[in-house]
């Protein structure tokens, strides 16, 4: 048996041949306690009871207790009673198993005598034994016992109450430490609805009515068959140690502590969770072997008792980078650790990064303060989407850089263009209007080399690949398709021939014009001085016109691009959906306009800036200056703008990350506490990890969230992941139903680690002494319901 709470098979309804004394022919075959014991061992039963009808087989109990040895199933005293409800006016009785918090032969004899004396006083025949519920109270008021009535067969507790007062029946079951036996899953919902009518609103629709089925075996040779000669029994399991107190905890919290064996089999962990840690010869920590549950492990203790020390030792031993042992100056090289899959203890265990969530104190708030939710994204299996989002921002950053580069290039063109010749001399004007003549060259030959090269490449690729297309191994063409391919090849070949002709004609045209221009050039050289001067003047006029047109064209392009800069806004965002309630948003916000940044780098000498275009045109004309630079060269302008836009470029590298919630709010406009709750809830619900470490999560969480959300999350999660929680909050320990409690104490600077379980009364006392409010939480859990409404009714 593990020293943490674990599942064990239980069977509290087994008959002996004594049942034949009170029910004719009730038992099949011969009963032998040793045969039953071996059957129980074969079926791995840890806790059982002998529950005959209205009688106790004292000899069977005495035989078992006398020969009991370590490893044998634990035996609790029990009896199955026929209970009548006189007020109902019907002779029908119901069966209820009563299980006592007793396991000694002396107690067996005392309880048996009380039962026998009752029936003698009532003058009832052995085969007509029955009692009323008040008899149970009177007989056993000094004993702790469980009341487990049948509720799903012919001896159901509902039968005598149905025609009398069903509400009274329901009240009794809620008020007593009880469970229902022999109830089909298909009718449990009906029972729950009836109980909900009595419970206060906060307790309604909770899965907290205990249902449990036992074998009701009447033939030890055929154990574990049901009833006398029925089908094989489907075992139920209870979580804890094989004790009466474990049953009490199970009836208080059935959702966490009662399951069919088949369900427990599904919950069993076979992945590489942490198994235990071995501490020896350490100057600060007492020697210990601490074993870990594959479910919920809570680390508790007073101030400076070694809670966070153990948390960080475990993080160090699994190689987690966030563990911090430096503050303890402690050598942990001799501390060994073991995983579920290891045979021996090791110095350390290596896990994949995605296998472990490790959250230190204050980490959750720090994630928001640092604007990084990368851990949440990773744990939610959204790393690829995160990578694509960052690539998107990188692309937008490159887009801005390209926008600036083009601005500088256009500015450089403007500088060059302004240095061009825009002068037409008086002599040129006179020469242009002179009556002399010259021959004008032909200048309208279109340069089609680039488009011809592309067309030629396309045609050649089509022709080269058509034959490969016909015989490709990944598809097969039918005859009609093959004919289409051949026809297409003929079409392409035809177009290639036509294209060759077009190219040849264009080449011939170009050659002809070049030849004509050579002739014109030679003739112009034979003209008189006036004619040649007129030719030169017209040539300079053409250059002047080209320079002017080029400048206006450049100014138009420059103005259009400057308008892009003026209107540029870097409001970009990408969303990564985590679940229906939470989305991670990566965002950069436009806080500084690009044009204003550019203006900041220029000295306007008192002239107010109008636009980027107006400013850079003035800069190109030296009407204004670049601050702290000797001249207005394009290279200096580039350096100035790159420096000024540096903070904006950094925004693209580290976009702000925040959570957007389904209720139309976000972590940007909520309190740190609220955000911490949402973060923790999200990372736990969506994590892909196998092991979760959290150091004192309650530090940044509200009590309402812990009670209403976190505990439910942990209760569900602990059967899917191994959880380690350092906490001083009793609600997490008790309502979270921790399977393993590691108690930390510090006596004269020597830390001690002990393992406790909730269902052990001695442990409960020590847990309450360490956790503030522990007594209250244990008391509230034991009450289970707000029964004010029941009492009033």
């Amino acid at each position: 048996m593990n020293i943490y709470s674990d599942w064990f098979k239980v069977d509290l309804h087994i008959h002996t041949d004594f049942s034949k004394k009170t029910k004719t022919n009730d038992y099949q075959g011969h009963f032998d306690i040793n045969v039953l014991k071996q059957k129980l061992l074969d079926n791995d039963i840890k806790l059982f009871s002998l529950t005959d009808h209205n009688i106790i087989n004292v000899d069977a109990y005495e035989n078992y207790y006398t020969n009991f040895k370590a490893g044998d199933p634990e035996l609790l005293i029990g009896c199955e009673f026929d209970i009548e409800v006189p007020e109902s006016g019907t002779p029908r009785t119901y069966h209820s198993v009563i299980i006592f918090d007793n396991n000694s032969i002396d107690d067996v004899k005392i309880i048996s005598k009380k039962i026998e004396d009752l029936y003698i006083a009532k003058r009832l025949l052995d085969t007509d034994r029955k009692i009323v519920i008040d008899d149970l109270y009177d007989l056993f008021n000094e004993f702790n016992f469980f009341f487990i009535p049948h509720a799903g067969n012919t001896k159901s507790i509902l039968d005598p109450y149905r025609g009398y007062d069903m509400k009274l029946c329901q009240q009794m079951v809620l008020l007593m430490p009880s469970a229902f036996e022999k109830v089909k899953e298909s009718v449990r919902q009906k029972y729950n609805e009836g109980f909900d009518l009595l419970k206060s609103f906060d307790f309604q629709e909770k899965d907290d009515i205990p249902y449990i089925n036992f074998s009701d075996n009447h033939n030890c040779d055929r154990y574990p068959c049901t009833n006398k000669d029925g089908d094989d029994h489907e075992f139920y399991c209870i979580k804890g140690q094989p004790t009466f107190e474990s049953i009490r905890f199970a009836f208080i919290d059935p959702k966490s502590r009662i399951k069919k064996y088949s369900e427990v089999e599904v919950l069993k962990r076979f992945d590489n969770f942490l198994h235990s840690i071995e501490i020896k010869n350490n100057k600060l920590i007492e020697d210990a072997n601490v074993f870990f549950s594959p479910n919920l492990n809570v680390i508790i203790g007073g101030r400076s008792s070694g809670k966070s020390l153990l948390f960080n030792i475990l993080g160090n031993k699994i190689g987690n980078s966030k563990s911090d042992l430096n503050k303890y100056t402690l050598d942990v090289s001799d501390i060994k650790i073991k995983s579920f899959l290891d045979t021996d203890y090791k110095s350390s265990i290596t896990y994949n990064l995605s296998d472990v969530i490790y959250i230190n104190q204050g980490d959750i708030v720090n994630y928001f303060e640092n604007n990084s939710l990368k851990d949440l994204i990773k744990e939610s299996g959204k790393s690829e989407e995160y990578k694509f989002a960052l690539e998107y921002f990188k692309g937008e950053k490159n887009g801005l850089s390209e926008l600036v580069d083009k601005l500088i290039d256009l500015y450089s063109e403007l500088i060059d263009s302004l240095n061009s010749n825009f002068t037409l001399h008086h002599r040129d004007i006179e020469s242009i209007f002179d009556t002399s003549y010259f021959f004008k060259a032909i200048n309208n030959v279109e340069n089609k080399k680039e488009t011809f090269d592309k067309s030629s490449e396309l045609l050649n690729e089509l022709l080269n690949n058509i034959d490969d297309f016909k015989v490709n191994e990944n598809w097969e063409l039918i005859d009609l398709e093959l004919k289409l391919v051949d026809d297409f090849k003929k079409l392409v070949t035809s177009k290639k021939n036509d294209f060759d002709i077009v190219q040849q004609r264009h080449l011939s045209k170009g050659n002809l014009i070049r030849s004509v221009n050579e002739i014109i050039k030679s003739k112009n050289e034979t003209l008189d001085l006036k004619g040649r001067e007129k030719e030169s003047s017209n040539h300079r006029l053409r250059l002047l016109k080209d320079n002017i047109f080029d400048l206006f064209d450049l100014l138009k392009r420059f103005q259009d691009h400057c308008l892009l800069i003026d209107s540029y806004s870097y409001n970009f965002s990408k969303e990564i959906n985590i679940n229906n309630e939470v989305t991670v948003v990566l965002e950069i916000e436009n806080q500084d306009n690009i044009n204003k940044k550019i203006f900041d780098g220029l000295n306007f000498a008192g002239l107010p800036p109008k636009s980027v275009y107006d400013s850079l045109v003035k800069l190109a004309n030296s009407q204004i200056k670049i601050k702290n630079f000797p001249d207005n060269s394009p290279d200096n302008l580039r350096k100035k703008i790159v420096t000024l836009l540096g903070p904006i470029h950094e925004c693209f590298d580290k976009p702000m990350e925040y959570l957007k919630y389904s209720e139309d709010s976000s972590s940007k406009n909520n309190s740190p506490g609220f955000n911490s709750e949402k973060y923790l809830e999200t990372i736990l619900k969506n994590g892909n990890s196998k092991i979760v470490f959290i150091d004192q999560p309650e530090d940044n969480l509200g009590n309402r969230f812990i009670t209403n959300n976190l505990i439910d999350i942990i209760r569900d999660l602990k059967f899917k992941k191994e959880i380690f929680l350092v906490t001083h909050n009793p609600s997490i320990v008790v309502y979270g139903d921790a399977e393993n409690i590691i108690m930390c104490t510090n006596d004269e600077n020597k830390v001690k680690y002990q393992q406790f379980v909730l269902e052990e009364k001695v442990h409960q006392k020590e847990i309450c002494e360490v956790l503030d409010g522990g007594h209250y939480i244990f008391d509230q859990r034991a009450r289970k319901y707000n029964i004010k409404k029941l009492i009033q009714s």
Side-chain angles (χ1 to χ4, degrees):
M1 176 64 67
N2 291 315
I3 57 176
Y4 51 81
S5 300
D6 202 4
W7 297 99
F8 64 89
K9 288 182 182 177
V10 61
D11 191 354
L12 300 178
H13 193 166
I14 301 174
H15 289 267
T16 79
D17 53 0
F18 261 44
S19 285
K20 289 195 293 187
K21 293 185 177 184
T22 57
K23 302 283 184 182
T24 305
N25 297 323
D26 189 74
Y27 196 83
Q28 303 294 309
H30 173 70
F31 176 78
D32 187 326
I33 189 64
N34 293 314
V35 171
L36 177 63
K37 177 178 177 179
Q38 189 57 51
K39 294 283 189 178
L40 295 173
L41 289 168
D42 291 344
N43 285 277
D44 197 29
I45 308 301
K46 301 298 183 184
L47 184 66
F48 75 107
S49 182
L50 301 175
T51 50
D52 288 308
H53 288 291
N54 308 301
I55 194 171
I56 290 182
N57 188 338
V58 176
D59 292 340
Y61 276 98
E62 186 168 13
N63 185 320
Y64 192 86
Y65 288 141
T66 301
N67 295 290
F68 181 84
K69 61 181 183 297
D72 288 345
E74 298 287 341
L75 173 59
L76 294 177
I77 301 170
C79 186
E80 182 177 15
F81 290 98
D82 281 52
I83 303 176
E84 62 178 345
V85 183
E87 300 89 346
S88 67
T90 174
R92 285 181 293 185
T93 60
Y94 66 89
H95 287 183
S96 182
V97 172
I98 306 298
I99 304 297
F100 296 92
D101 184 14
N102 303 84
N103 55 358
S104 73
I105 187 58
D106 290 338
D107 289 327
V108 171
K109 292 176 179 177
I110 292 171
I111 293 171
S112 177
K113 186 175 186 308
K114 283 179 173 288
I115 294 171
E116 296 303 318
D117 288 347
L118 173 70
Y119 290 124
I120 291 173
K122 285 178 172 280
R123 298 182 179 182
L124 294 172
L125 298 174
D126 287 348
T127 55
D128 194 30
R129 291 185 171 189
K130 53 189 174 183
I131 62 174
V132 297
I133 195 70
D134 288 343
D135 291 335
L136 288 177
Y137 299 150
D138 293 338
L139 281 179
F140 308 122
N141 59 6
E142 76 269 32
F143 291 91
N144 290 324
F145 63 86
F146 294 122
F147 176 71
I148 311 176
H150 291 196
N153 66 355
T154 55
K155 291 294 183 178
S156 167
I157 188 175
L158 303 181
D159 292 339
Y161 281 97
R162 186 172 284 115
Y164 167 53
D165 190 347
M166 187 61 66
K167 186 177 178 182
L168 181 64
C169 167
Q170 294 164 345
Q171 288 178 358
M172 180 179 65
V173 172
L174 285 181
L175 287 168
M176 294 179 67
S178 66
F180 270 180
E181 187 193 6
K182 296 181 178 296
V183 181
K184 295 180 180 179
E185 292 185 21
S186 59
V187 297
R188 289 186 182 184
Q189 182 61 38
K190 293 181 179 179
Y191 287 119
N192 289 340
E193 290 172 358
F195 288 123
D196 282 346
L197 295 176
L198 298 177
K199 290 190 261 181
S200 61
F201 179 79
D202 290 341
F203 293 94
Q204 291 177 11
E205 297 184 359
K206 286 191 175 183
D207 190 6
D208 54 5
I209 303 296
Y211 298 95
I212 188 165
N213 290 346
F214 306 120
S215 70
D216 195 8
N217 179 265
H218 288 67
N219 185 344
C220 65
D221 290 323
R222 292 196 57 191
Y223 185 85
C225 73
T226 61
N227 213 317
K228 296 176 183 177
D229 294 303
D231 299 327
D232 284 347
H233 169 60
E234 181 178 14
F235 284 105
Y236 273 62
C237 294
I238 285 176
K239 189 176 68 182
Q241 313 295 316
T243 63
F244 183 90
E245 187 69 1
S246 288
I247 303 173
R248 187 175 76 85
F249 264 69
F251 288 177
I252 291 171
D253 190 358
K255 187 175 182 179
S256 179
R257 288 186 172 249
I258 299 178
K259 292 187 184 297
K260 292 180 181 178
Y261 179 70
S262 56
E263 294 172 327
V264 172
E265 285 286 278
V266 173
L267 292 177
K268 284 185 178 179
R269 299 278 299 280
F270 299 101
D271 53 6
N272 205 22
F273 61 86
L274 289 184
H275 176 273
S276 56
I277 190 169
E278 180 184 64
I279 304 171
K280 289 183 179 179
N281 306 318
N282 192 281
K283 66 178 183 180
L284 181 61
I285 309 172
E286 186 176 295
D287 289 358
N289 276 64
V290 182
F291 296 85
F292 306 125
S293 164
N295 309 125
L296 176 58
N297 303 270
V298 293
I299 304 171
I300 66 172
R303 188 178 298 277
S304 301
S305 60
K307 303 187 299 297
S308 292
L309 172 62
L310 178 58
F311 184 86
N312 281 280
I313 289 174
L314 292 176
N316 174 271
K317 289 298 174 180
I318 64 172
N320 192 278
S321 59
K322 294 176 67 178
S323 62
D324 182 16
L325 280 173
N326 296 331
K327 57 187 177 183
Y328 299 101
T329 62
L330 180 68
D331 181 12
V332 296
S333 57
D334 288 335
I335 295 178
K336 308 295 183 184
I337 196 164
K338 182 179 177 182
S339 75
F340 171 73
L341 299 181
D342 289 326
T343 304
D344 301 310
Y345 284 99
K346 299 178 177 180
S347 296
S348 62
I349 301 172
T350 302
Y351 286 98
N352 295 325
L353 290 176
S354 59
D355 287 341
V356 179
I357 299 174
Y358 198 91
I359 303 177
N360 288 307
Q361 280 181 270
D363 266 359
I364 300 172
V365 171
N366 290 337
Y367 292 143
F368 291 100
E369 291 177 348
N370 297 330
N371 291 327
S372 176
L373 299 171
K374 187 175 181 179
D375 284 358
L376 171 63
I377 293 166
K378 180 191 74 175
E379 296 303 332
S380 300
K382 305 288 184 175
S383 295
E384 280 300 308
E385 292 182 40
Y386 184 67
K387 178 182 175 183
F388 290 141
L390 294 181
E391 286 296 323
Y392 165 77
F393 287 102
K394 182 179 178 181
E396 293 296 338
K397 177 185 176 182
N398 292 336
L400 176 58
S401 297
E402 291 171 2
L403 204 63
V404 171
D405 288 342
K406 186 174 180 181
L407 180 71
I408 303 300
D409 290 342
L410 289 169
Y411 175 78
S412 179
E413 281 188 56
L414 181 61
I415 293 288
D416 292 339
S417 183
L418 289 175
N419 289 326
S420 299
N421 184 13
F422 293 96
T423 304
L424 189 63
H425 297 281
H426 180 72
R427 185 165 179 172
D428 285 331
I429 296 174
E430 289 180 345
S431 180
I432 290 170
F433 286 101
D434 191 85
T435 57
S436 301
Y437 69 91
F438 68 95
F439 299 102
K440 287 188 177 182
I442 303 172
N443 294 316
N444 61 346
V445 181
E446 184 181 1
N447 184 359
K448 302 190 71 172
K449 182 180 185 307
E450 184 177 350
T451 181
F452 279 165
D453 287 345
K454 287 183 179 179
S455 298
S456 180
E457 182 181 358
L458 174 62
L459 289 167
N460 288 331
E461 284 185 0
L462 287 173
L463 289 172
N464 291 337
N465 290 317
I466 284 177
D467 290 337
D468 290 340
F469 173 76
K470 290 173 65 175
V471 297
N472 189 282
E473 62 184 9
N474 293 316
W475 55 75
E476 184 175 342
L477 303 179
I478 62 175
D479 291 343
L480 178 60
E481 292 170 332
L482 288 170
K483 183 177 183 306
L484 288 173
V485 175
D486 289 337
D487 289 344
F488 179 70
K489 183 176 181 180
K490 291 177 183 178
L491 174 64
V492 175
T493 302
S494 171
K495 291 302 176 186
K496 186 176 187 305
N497 293 335
D498 293 343
F499 175 64
D500 290 341
I501 295 172
V502 170
Q503 285 191 98
Q504 187 58 47
R505 286 177 178 172
H506 186 78
L507 178 62
S508 299
K509 177 182 177 182
N511 290 336
L512 174 62
I513 291 175
R514 279 189 291 274
S515 297
V516 170
N517 282 339
E518 286 296 325
I519 295 172
I520 291 173
K521 181 180 179 184
S522 64
K523 291 300 180 181
N524 280 335
E525 289 174 353
T526 64
L527 296 175
D528 58 17
L529 182 61
K530 290 273 187 184
R532 292 199 303 275
E533 189 174 344
K534 185 170 185 174
E535 180 196 19
S536 297
S537 296
N538 273 278
H539 177 68
R540 286 190 288 274
L541 177 60
R542 285 196 301 273
L543 289 178
L544 174 61
K545 289 165 58 179
D546 289 344
N547 287 343
I548 293 172
F549 283 125
D550 287 346
L551 178 59
F552 277 105
D553 177 68
L554 172 60
L555 289 171
K556 180 64 171 67
R557 288 186 288 116
F558 192 40
Q559 185 181 45
D560 290 343
H561 193 73
C562 287
L563 288 173
L564 295 178
I565 298 291
D566 279 321
S567 61
Y568 182 82
S569 173
Y570 52 96
N571 285 318
F572 299 110
S573 67
K574 277 291 179 182
E575 294 189 354
I576 301 174
N577 184 258
I578 302 299
N579 57 35
N580 293 331
E581 298 178 358
V582 175
T583 299
V584 171
V585 181
L586 282 70
E587 180 180 83
I588 59 173
E589 293 182 316
N590 197 96
Q591 297 180 348
D592 290 307
N593 292 332
I594 302 294
N595 57 0
K596 185 178 182 302
K597 283 288 187 182
I598 294 174
F599 297 155
D600 289 343
L602 303 179
N603 188 346
F604 288 90
L607 297 173
K610 296 179 180 179
S611 65
V612 172
Y613 173 74
D614 178 73
S615 300
L616 295 189
V617 168
K618 289 178 178 177
L619 189 70
N621 284 301
S622 299
Q623 294 175 269
I624 59 176
K625 297 291 184 182
I626 302 174
K627 290 180 180 178
N628 304 319
F629 279 94
D631 58 61
N632 296 343
S633 69
D635 190 50
N636 286 341
L637 180 61
R638 182 188 304 278
K639 291 176 182 177
K640 176 59 71 174
I641 292 178
V642 168
T643 300
L644 292 169
L645 298 187
I648 294 177
H649 280 115
E650 290 178 2
C651 292
F652 287 90
D653 295 329
K654 295 181 179 179
M656 181 175 63
E657 299 170 7
Y658 64 91
L659 296 181
K660 186 172 74 173
Y661 308 130
S662 59
E663 56 269 24
D664 294 329
S665 65
S666 73
S667 58
K668 290 198 298 184
N669 51 24
N670 274 291
S671 67
F674 181 87
N675 289 331
S676 298
E677 293 166 3
K678 281 291 188 179
Y679 182 95
L680 185 58
E681 181 178 2
T682 304
I683 200 170
L684 291 179
K685 281 185 176 180
N686 295 278
N688 296 316
S689 61
K690 297 181 177 67
I691 307 175
V692 177
F693 290 87
I694 309 178
D695 191 358
Q696 297 189 40
E698 64 270 20
D699 285 359
N700 301 113
L701 306 176
N703 287 330
R704 182 183 295 274
F705 173 78
I706 292 174
T707 303
N708 295 343
N709 299 82
L710 181 61
I711 290 172
D712 285 341
I713 294 170
I714 290 173
R715 283 169 62 91
D716 176 64
L717 193 70
K718 68 181 182 178
F719 293 121
K720 303 169 186 175
K721 306 173 188 287
E722 184 176 35
I723 302 176
F724 292 86
L725 270 178
V726 179
T727 184
H728 47 73
N729 186 299
S731 294
I732 294 176
V733 178
V734 178
Y735 290 137
D737 197 38
E739 282 75 14
N740 185 30
I741 300 166
I742 302 171
M743 174 67 76
C744 310
T745 54
N746 190 339
D747 185 11
E748 297 181 353
N749 293 322
K750 193 73 172 180
V751 173
K752 181 179 181 179
Y753 296 127
Q754 297 173 277
Q755 286 185 257
F756 289 174
V757 290
L758 285 172
E759 63 272 8
E760 180 65 51
K761 289 184 178 180
V762 175
H763 293 171
Q764 292 172 17
K765 184 175 183 293
E766 295 199 43
I767 292 168
C768 289
E769 290 175 354
V770 168
L771 298 177
D772 292 337
H775 288 283
Y776 172 77
I777 295 298
F778 268 103
D779 182 58
Q780 287 298 102
R781 191 192 201 202
R783 294 181 184 218
K784 190 175 180 179
Y785 302 118
N786 180 352
I787 60 173
K788 181 178 179 181
K789 186 172 181 179
L790 290 176
I791 295 173
Q792 288 175 340
S793 64

